[in-house]
Amino acid sequence: MREQDNHFHQSEVFSYLPEAERVSLLNEASHKILKKGQYLSHQGDVWPKVILVVSGQLRWVMLAASGKEHLLFNIDEGQSFWAHSVFDDEPMPASLCAGKKTEVLIWDRKTVLKYLRKYPDVMWKTTRMLTRIMRHAREIIYSLAFQPVAGRLAALLLDQYTDSNSDQIERDFTLNDLAVRVAATPEVVCRVLYKFQEDGILEITRASINIQDLEALENAKGE
Amino acid sequence: MREQDNHFHQSEVFSYLPEAERVSLLNEASHKILKKGQYLSHQGDVWPKVILVVSGQLRWVMLAASGKEHLLFNIDEGQSFWAHSVFDDEPMPASLCAGKKTEVLIWDRKTVLKYLRKYPDVMWKTTRMLTRIMRHAREIIYSLAFQPVAGRLAALLLDQYTDSNSDQIERDFTLNDLAVRVAATPEVVCRVLYKFQEDGILEITRASINIQDLEALENAKGE
DNA sequence: GAAAGTCTTTAACTAAAGGTAAACAATGGA
DNA sequence: TCCATTGTTTACCTTTAGTTAAAGACTTTC
């Protein structure tokens, strides 16, 4: 087992397949490298694929008619994603776009099903994965319906903070990146960030954001 | 086959089971009658059940810490619902509450799985159902992120309109019922409705809402 | 290193939505 | 019938968010 294949062997559903089958399925994957900003699939396409991000990051982005966009979640290194069309043959409800240079493995539905059909218990694991995504969608709806921008932004910062392990957050994202995640504009995000600084919750420089008062930030998040 | 069991035999996943199995599964259902406003399950409970609404209506309602609520969708007569806990044993992300007097059939996870396990292709149908719900959640997120209250309300009215077949909508719902669905307040809903009337899109009386200009309403909905 | 472009920050203004309160209509019991 | 309750409507005010514009900081490219 090659080291770079670990992500695959430990992935959410496939890890439950017997090893021999896993190896065989891995051999049937096609391989693609995306440049930053390149699209893997477009909203509206019927695209019955299963993917695994080997390195880099994909973004699951919803596009509005007006041209605005809303980033629902990232698919990071090691994570897999089962396209909606796999299950119902309908067009995709959002687009997959590389956030940086990204390497992915791709399988067709029929390839994956060929393996899953033999293992009903593994097949059943896909329902757990879909439920996880539904729960995530629920959180997004909750925060849009009940939380003002400040609350959603606080939640997002706390997310970043838990990923890194210091209370300093590197600013390797733009204000627009944040805005697209909390369904707001860069100007509003900027204003809210400086409001947090005024309240002693954050300290902002051009290179980083420091969390000064974790408890207050949790509080701003609500609940 | 009794007439009142038709809903079950034609339901989203179970209809794919062989008839003998279906009859047997139906016999294992427990039966419950809910009064209007009564809860079948509460947000936060682990509740691994599958249900079918025989008559009446259940509401899938999200509760905020503040006490506000947001109605995500209704489960109407003949529709089934697979609780999240069935798939992942985690607490339910919202509550089920009867919108009127409602009769439901209820199965435990283990009962349903006993049957499904024998039919992997039927089991796979659950993924299609979960995907349908995910797509619905996506629409809700879309409208919260990109549409103002007026757009969401227009979409909801058009929904009601397509259900009835006249361009008159009976007002058998309160302003609060509407507000809870579009994540707003009754006062704002009222204001928007009368704004629509001003624009010649609707005609409002205390008993009904008339659609005067369908195209303009479609337009207000966006896209 | 200069120029062009992108990103950040601030301000002033506008629009949208929520909160509160009060008047009014309809409904359902007692 | 009257009263209490619930739902509707309107007005006024506050808060929140979006728009526009402009200046400054940083990056990239030539």
Side-chain angles (χ1 to χ4, degrees):
Chain A
M1 197 189 297
R2 293 177 307 166
E3 216 250 309
Q4 70 264 40
D5 297 334
N6 274 348
H7 288 319
F8 170 73
H9 290 288
Q10 290 157 19
S11 66
E12 188 162 18
V13 173
F14 298 139
S15 62
Y16 296 98
L17 285 171
E19 187 172 342
E21 299 280 23
R22 247 182 292 140
V23 170
S24 166
L25 180 55
L26 182 52
N27 284 332
E28 293 201 53
S30 58
H31 196 265
K32 195 160 189 172
I33 294 181
L34 299 163
K35 279 183 290 204
K36 178 175 175 170
Q38 200 179 341
Y39 282 78
L40 180 58
S41 78
H42 288 90
Q43 185 169 323
D45 293 353
V46 175
W47 195 73
K49 310 277 187 182
V50 178
I51 62 162
L52 179 87
V53 174
V54 177
S55 71
Q57 177 187 70
L58 287 179
R59 296 176 174 181
W60 180 238
V61 185
M62 228 161 59
L63 280 166
S66 65
K68 281 189 210 162
E69 48 183 43
H70 183 60
L71 173 60
L72 294 174
F73 53 80
N74 293 321
I75 307 164
D76 287 306
E77 183 173 321
Q79 298 187 303
S80 55
F81 178 77
W82 296 56
H84 292 51
S85 306
V86 167
F87 306 106
D88 64 6
D89 263 311
E90 299 288 324
M92 297 296 285
S95 300
L96 282 174
C97 178
K100 41 187 158 181
K101 189 183 172 217
T102 302
E103 210 181 333
V104 285
L105 299 177
I106 308 173
W107 294 266
D108 269 324
R109 179 205 2 230
K110 65 173 192 300
T111 311
V112 171
L113 278 187
K114 189 172 67 186
Y115 289 84
L116 284 199
R117 207 182 294 279
K118 289 190 275 180
Y119 303 97
D121 287 351
V122 180
M123 191 184 253
W124 186 246
K125 299 287 181 192
T126 57
T127 62
R128 165 182 287 250
M129 174 205 61
L130 291 172
T131 303
R132 184 176 53 74
I133 297 173
M134 278 170 40
R135 288 181 181 277
H136 188 204
R138 186 269 182 196
E139 292 307 313
I140 295 172
I141 293 173
Y142 183 98
S143 67
L144 288 172
F146 299 131
Q147 300 274 12
V149 172
R152 307 203 289 271
L153 189 58
L156 185 55
L157 290 175
L158 284 167
D159 242 38
Q160 301 281 331
Y161 161 76
T162 2
D163 284 355
S164 73
N165 303 330
S166 86
D167 52 348
Q168 183 143 0
I169 301 170
E170 283 300 310
R171 285 183 74 168
D172 54 353
F173 42 79
T174 67
L175 291 177
N176 194 54
D177 289 340
L178 295 178
V180 156
R181 289 203 67 165
V182 300
T185 59
E187 292 86 350
V188 171
V189 169
C190 185
R191 194 190 307 163
V192 172
L193 284 177
Y194 280 87
K195 180 70 174 58
F196 281 155
Q197 172 160 274
E198 238 175 73
D199 297 347
I201 300 176
L202 298 179
E203 206 184 40
I204 307 170
T205 74
R206 276 187 173 265
S208 69
I209 294 173
N210 260 57
I211 298 179
Q212 298 283 319
D213 187 343
L214 186 59
E215 202 182 333
L217 191 58
E218 293 272 7
N219 230 298
K221 178 182 147 189
E223 292 224 59
Chain B
M1 196 188 295
R2 293 177 307 166
E3 217 251 307
Q4 71 263 42
D5 297 335
N6 274 349
H7 288 320
F8 170 73
H9 289 288
Q10 290 156 19
S11 66
E12 189 162 17
V13 173
F14 299 139
S15 62
Y16 297 97
L17 285 172
E19 186 171 341
E21 299 279 25
R22 247 183 291 139
V23 170
S24 166
L25 180 55
L26 182 53
N27 285 330
E28 293 202 51
S30 58
H31 196 265
K32 195 160 190 173
I33 293 181
L34 299 164
K35 278 182 289 203
K36 180 176 174 170
Q38 200 179 341
Y39 281 78
L40 180 58
S41 77
H42 289 90
Q43 185 169 324
D45 294 352
V46 175
W47 194 74
K49 310 278 187 180
V50 178
I51 61 161
L52 179 88
V53 174
V54 177
S55 71
Q57 178 187 68
L58 286 179
R59 297 174 174 181
W60 180 239
V61 186
M62 227 161 62
L63 279 165
S66 65
K68 281 190 214 163
E69 49 182 43
H70 182 59
L71 173 59
L72 294 174
F73 52 80
N74 293 322
I75 308 163
D76 287 306
E77 184 174 321
Q79 297 187 303
S80 56
F81 178 77
W82 296 56
H84 292 52
S85 306
V86 166
F87 305 106
D88 64 7
D89 264 312
E90 299 289 324
M92 298 297 284
S95 300
L96 283 174
C97 177
K100 42 188 158 181
K101 189 186 173 214
T102 301
E103 210 182 332
V104 285
L105 298 178
I106 307 173
W107 294 266
D108 269 324
R109 179 205 3 231
K110 65 173 192 301
T111 310
V112 171
L113 278 186
K114 190 172 67 186
Y115 288 84
L116 283 198
R117 207 181 292 279
K118 289 189 273 178
Y119 303 96
D121 286 351
V122 179
M123 190 185 254
W124 186 246
K125 299 287 181 192
T126 58
T127 63
R128 166 181 287 251
M129 174 204 64
L130 291 172
T131 303
R132 184 176 54 73
I133 296 173
M134 277 170 41
R135 288 180 181 278
H136 188 206
R138 185 269 182 196
E139 293 307 313
I140 294 172
I141 293 173
Y142 183 98
S143 67
L144 288 171
F146 299 132
Q147 300 273 13
V149 172
R152 307 203 291 271
L153 189 57
L156 185 55
L157 289 175
L158 284 167
D159 243 39
Q160 301 280 332
Y161 161 77
T162 1
D163 284 356
S164 73
N165 303 331
S166 86
D167 52 347
Q168 182 142 1
I169 301 168
E170 284 299 311
R171 286 183 74 167
D172 54 353
F173 42 78
T174 67
L175 291 178
N176 193 53
D177 289 339
L178 295 178
V180 157
R181 291 203 67 165
V182 298
T185 57
E187 291 85 351
V188 171
V189 169
C190 185
R191 195 190 310 159
V192 171
L193 284 177
Y194 279 87
K195 181 69 173 55
F196 281 155
Q197 172 160 274
E198 240 175 72
D199 297 347
I201 299 176
L202 299 178
E203 205 183 43
I204 307 169
T205 73
R206 276 185 173 266
S208 70
I209 294 173
N210 260 58
I211 298 179
Q212 298 282 318
D213 186 343
L214 186 58
E215 203 183 333
L217 191 58
E218 293 272 5
N219 230 298
K221 178 183 147 186
E223 290 223 61

